[in-house]
Amino acid sequence: MTTPLTARTALLLMLPPLLWAGNATLGRMSVGWISPLLLNALRWLLAFAILLPLGRQVLRADSPLWRRVGYFLLLGLLGVGSYNAFQYLALQTSTPINVTLITSSLPVWTLCVGALWYGERPRRMQIIGAAVSLVGVLLVLSHGDWTMLANVQLVPGDLFVLVAIISWAFYSWMLARPRDPSIGTWPWAEFLQAQVAFGALWASAAAFGEWSVGAAHVEWNGWIVALLLYVAIGPSLIAYRCWGLGVQRAGPAVASFFNNLTPVFTAILSSAVLGEPPRWFHGVAFALIVGGIAVSSRR
């Protein structure tokens, strides 16, 4: 952890899971209206256009970006291209409980990546915090009835979620530990614009592959336009900006625990859409996840 976890940093890291919960809910609702890889490409092309007035300087010919193309190619692939594409693909076939079960393993993968590639051995409190946080996630997924977890069955689409979450673990460490420290001094809009630019290229290439096999489709209507605006601004620009700041301040290991708030927020949003009030286990799970974050952030 680079700095102690403050209330401001905690808020920065809580906002992305809330926005990503909306992304998962709407992404599931979009099945049949738009193909997943086309949705991902349009999302990031629109985000690129929205951010362009603020971050266009980084695309100039004399920009330091072009001396670090390899870093941003990989960053865009892991955090923008792969993660979101695999997530949308997973929502086509996997059940919500499977997706959130696998996503809740992010702290474990983040600790493993840090230990194997960055020489960061996980602390005992981080391991305990991961266990406490995971119990909170399982409580939500089981609706307070642990016997429901025995009925979970994995499907091939769950592999997409696993690949997505591992790529996000690498992405978070790359944000916190760039090989060139001067990247951390770039204006935030230019740093994000560089990620989005290369990520949009990867996403567009994937969408082209989807189109070439005849799988791309979209039914244009007001709902699709509103969906694209939301996923391009909220879960993309705002969430990625807040996540980047939070990771730089708290470190990728601690930040990964906040991702476990996503299934809690998703359950609450789904309940709101269906007109059902939150249940008791939502509150208990939230307390357990926050407790896991607090434990893991202790030195």
Side-chain angles (χ1 to χ4, degrees):
M1 186 174 65
T2 54
T3 60
L5 185 64
T6 63
R8 182 178 180 182
T9 302
L11 287 174
L12 283 172
L13 290 170
M14 288 180 67
L15 183 58
L18 177 59
L19 294 170
W20 291 331
N23 179 54
T25 303
L26 295 177
R28 183 65 176 174
M29 293 173 62
S30 71
V31 174
W33 293 92
I34 184 171
S35 53
L37 298 183
L38 178 60
L39 171 59
N40 191 46
L42 292 177
R43 166 187 178 176
W44 289 108
L45 288 171
L46 182 56
F48 175 84
I50 294 172
L51 188 60
L52 193 59
L54 296 176
R56 64 181 182 275
Q57 295 296 326
V58 78
L59 302 176
R60 294 173 51 181
D62 58 348
S63 168
L65 166 66
W66 307 114
R67 297 193 297 272
R68 301 165 180 84
V69 170
Y71 171 79
F72 282 100
L73 271 172
L74 186 55
L75 202 65
L77 174 63
L78 295 175
V80 176
S82 296
Y83 177 75
N84 295 279
F86 282 120
Q87 185 184 55
Y88 286 137
L89 283 170
L91 289 169
Q92 304 291 308
T93 56
S94 296
T95 62
I97 191 169
N98 284 31
V99 171
T100 47
L101 266 174
I102 298 172
T103 301
S104 65
S105 67
L106 176 61
V108 176
W109 292 109
T110 304
L111 292 176
C112 290
V113 170
L116 295 176
W117 273 269
Y118 292 88
E120 286 284 341
R121 295 181 59 184
R123 294 177 286 107
R124 183 178 63 176
M125 300 306 290
Q126 289 178 327
I127 296 174
I128 296 174
V132 173
S133 183
L134 185 58
V135 170
V137 173
L138 295 178
L139 186 63
V140 172
L141 301 179
S142 66
H143 290 193
D145 182 3
W146 298 106
T147 60
M148 289 184 60
L149 297 177
N151 299 322
V152 173
Q153 296 181 347
L154 298 179
V155 298
D158 297 329
L159 179 62
F160 292 137
V161 191
L162 183 60
V163 174
I165 211 66
I166 293 175
S167 72
W168 188 259
F170 277 101
Y171 167 77
S172 296
W173 275 104
M174 288 184 66
L175 284 180
R177 299 285 185 84
R179 291 186 176 181
D180 183 357
S182 67
I183 292 176
T185 65
W186 289 17
W188 72 268
E190 295 182 17
F191 181 60
L192 187 55
Q193 183 81 74
Q195 295 182 59
V196 172
F198 287 105
L201 287 177
W202 289 112
S204 298
F208 177 78
E210 185 181 58
W211 171 82
S212 65
V213 298
H217 69 274
V218 59
E219 297 183 25
W220 288 107
N221 52 47
W223 149 251
I224 291 297
V225 173
L227 168 67
L228 288 173
L229 286 173
Y230 172 76
V231 298
I233 298 173
S236 300
L237 298 181
I238 297 176
Y240 274 65
R241 167 59 175 162
C242 292
W243 185 262
L245 278 175
V247 167
Q248 290 174 355
R249 295 181 181 185
V254 172
S256 67
F257 287 87
F258 283 83
N259 185 73
N260 282 354
L261 291 171
T262 303
V264 178
F265 290 148
T266 301
I268 294 173
L269 288 176
S270 298
S271 297
V273 171
L274 297 174
E276 300 175 354
R279 302 283 300 279
W280 64 268
F281 51 80
H282 292 140
V284 176
F286 183 83
L288 286 170
I289 292 172
V290 172
I293 293 170
V295 171
S296 66
S297 64
R298 296 180 61 184
R299 293 188 179 276

